[in-house]
Structures are given as structure tokens and as C-alpha cells.
């Protein structure tokens, strides 16, 4: 049974810092992993989908890595901005047709 | 392309009532999944439909049901509402479905049960 954990649960940093969000999963037999962003009271916005064959995926200031052997993924945010404040969720396949989500990391970027 | 749309956006219901939520996927997407999000349990999978067939169901009581129409639009129904059903209900669409497929989420329906 897939379980996904995200650490830390909350993170507050000053604007301009580079930061790393962590995600771990128990079933390493996955072919990809997804990172999402959620603003308060809103739906999920897909940020990155990283295939197991890629190991890394980049979009603008975001970079996600995936290490199946260790059951870990990281989301790196460069030069953070106040607009990056949101909850970040990672999700791994949990068997047929479904995603298993972590509890999220609530990120606050202070101006 | 228009994104995933969900209606209504907000609902207030009383315990014991039933409710129907609607989801319209991105044009061309044939898979629709539903998730429940609560502060305590986070995001939990409800069910997934593909070409009008339910392919997978999460660990929720039978009060939660759904269906998908031939145009891929989906509805979920919750009968005999309980206070614990208060949550944000999110639907997601993808081309072919499957847990590893790129999922696109709608804005959600916020259900409050009083």
C-alpha cells in the first residue's frame, strides 16, 4: 500500500531564498510522481510530473528530482517570491487509477 | 482549451439530505477521478470513471456514489449527509486515466453540512 509523507509540514522563509521540499513514498514501483500547488480554498495546479526514467524535471524556477531506490523526491524552488506562498503536495500512483497524496508542505515566503 | 469545471462551487446542506456534484473534464479527456479533501485526512481518493465505467473505488461508504455520462461529464452523489462529509470535493481529468497519468484538477466544490 502506497504511503506518501511530506516534510516539513510548514516552512517560512524570507524572499529570495532557495528552498527544498521533501517527499517520501513507500512503494518504489512507480513510474512517475507529480507535484501540485494549492492556494487556500482552491483546487490543485499541476507543477511537474517527473517520470522514473528522467530523475529530474524543470519548469522555470522549479526543479523536481526523483530517486526511486530511496523512495524520495524533492522539489527545489529557486529565488523564492511571495507569490510562491501556497501548499505544495506531492502525489504518487497508489495502484490502478488513483493517486496517493502527501499531507503537503505549507510554504510562506516573507517579503 | 477550457480547464476542468465543477459546479456548484459552494453548497450548504443539512444532515440527512443528499447532494449531487458535477464535474466537466477537459475536452477529449475520458477519465474523471474524484477526491475528498479535509484538514484531518488530507486528499483521499473516492473513485475513478473511464468511458462511463467505474474502474476503481476508494475506501468510502456506499453513501458515496458516482457516474459518468457519454460526454465524459461526471457526477458524484452523497446520500444521507453527515457532518463529517463537510469537505472540499475535487475532480480531476486525464486523457486515459491510470494513477500515473497527468491529472488536471478543477477548482473544487466546498460542501458544508450543518
Amino acid at each position: 500500500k502506497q504511503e506518501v509523507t511530506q516534510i516539513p509540514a510548514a516552512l517560512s522563509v524570507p524572499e529570495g531564498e532557495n528552498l527544498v521540499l521533501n517527499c517520501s513514498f513507500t512503494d518504489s514501483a512507480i513510474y512517475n510522481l507529480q507535484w501540485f500547488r494549492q492556494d487556500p480554498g482552491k483546487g490543485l495546479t499541476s507543477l511537474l510530473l517527473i517520470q522514473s526514467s528522467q530523475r529530474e524535471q524543470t519548469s522555470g524556477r522549479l526543479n523536481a528530482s526523483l530517486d526511486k531506490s530511496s523512495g524520495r523526491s524533492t522539489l527545489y524552488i529557486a529565488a523564492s517570491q511571495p507569490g510562491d506562498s501556497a501548499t505544495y503536495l506531492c502525489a504518487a500512483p497508489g495502484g490502478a487509477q488513483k493517486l496517493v497524496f502527501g499531507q503537503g508542505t505549507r510554504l510562506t515566503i516573507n517579503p | 482549451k477550457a480547464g476542468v469545471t465543477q459546479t456548484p462551487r459552494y453548497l450548504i446542506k443539512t444532515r440527512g439530505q443528499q447532494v449531487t456534484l458535477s464535474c466537466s473534464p477537459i475536452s477529449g479527456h475520458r477519465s474523471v477521478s474524484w477526491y475528498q479533501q479535509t484538514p484531518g485526512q488530507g486528499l483521499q481518493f473516492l473513485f475513478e470513471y473511464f468511458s462511463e465505467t467505474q474502474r476503481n473505488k476508494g475506501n468510502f461508504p456506499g453513501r458515496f456514489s458516482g457516474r459518468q455520462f457519454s460526454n465524459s461529464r461526471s457526477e458524484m452523489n452523497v446520500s444521507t449527509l453527515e457532518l463529517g462529509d463537510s469537505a472540499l470535493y475535487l475532480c480531476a481529468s486525464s486523457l486515459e486515466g491510470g494513477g500515473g497519468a497527468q491529472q488536471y484538477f478543477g477548482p473544487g466544490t466546498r460542501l458544508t453540512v450543518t
Side-chain angles (χ1 to χ4, degrees), chain A residues 3 13 42 64 83 89 103:
Chain A
E3 293 180 5
V13 301
K42 303 290 180 64
L89 295 142
Q103 291 286 67

Side-chain angles (χ1 to χ4, degrees), chain A residues 37-109:
Chain A
R37 166 185 172 139
Q38 185 174 34
D39 292 288
K42 303 290 180 64
L44 275 62
T45 300
S46 179
L47 295 175
L48 290 163
L49 183 151
I50 176 167
Q51 304 288 354
S52 58
S53 58
Q54 293 178 297
R55 296 184 64 86
E56 279 193 14
Q57 181 74 274
T58 298
S59 176
R61 295 181 293 106
L62 305 180
N63 176 276
S65 67
L66 175 62
D67 183 347
K68 283 179 55 175
S69 62
S70 66
R72 294 173 63 178
S73 177
T74 61
L75 179 66
Y76 176 82
I77 302 177
S80 58
Q81 303 170 358
D84 296 330
S85 297
T87 296
Y88 291 79
L89 295 142
C90 69
Q97 291 91 38
K98 75 174 187 179
L99 290 174
V100 176
F101 285 84
Q103 291 286 67
T105 294
R106 189 172 68 254
L107 176 64
T108 302
I109 307 298

Side-chain angles (χ1 to χ4, degrees), chain B residues 40-62:
Chain B
Q41 299 297 317
L43 272 150
Q44 293 187 290
F45 173 78
L46 281 158
F47 25 67
E48 189 260 3
Y49 287 88
F50 179 83
S51 291
E52 302 180 66
T53 299
Q54 185 184 92
R55 296 197 295 188
N56 198 2
K57 188 177 193 301
N59 188 26
F60 278 82

Side-chain angles (χ1 to χ4, degrees), chain B residues 15-18 24 28 31 37 52-53 63 67 76 88 100:
Chain B
R15 272 181 302 175
Q17 289 185 316
Q18 76 166 24
S24 293
S31 168
Q37 186 177 32
E52 302 180 66
T53 299
R63 301 185 295 106
R67 59 177 175 169
M76 68 163 281
L88 181 65

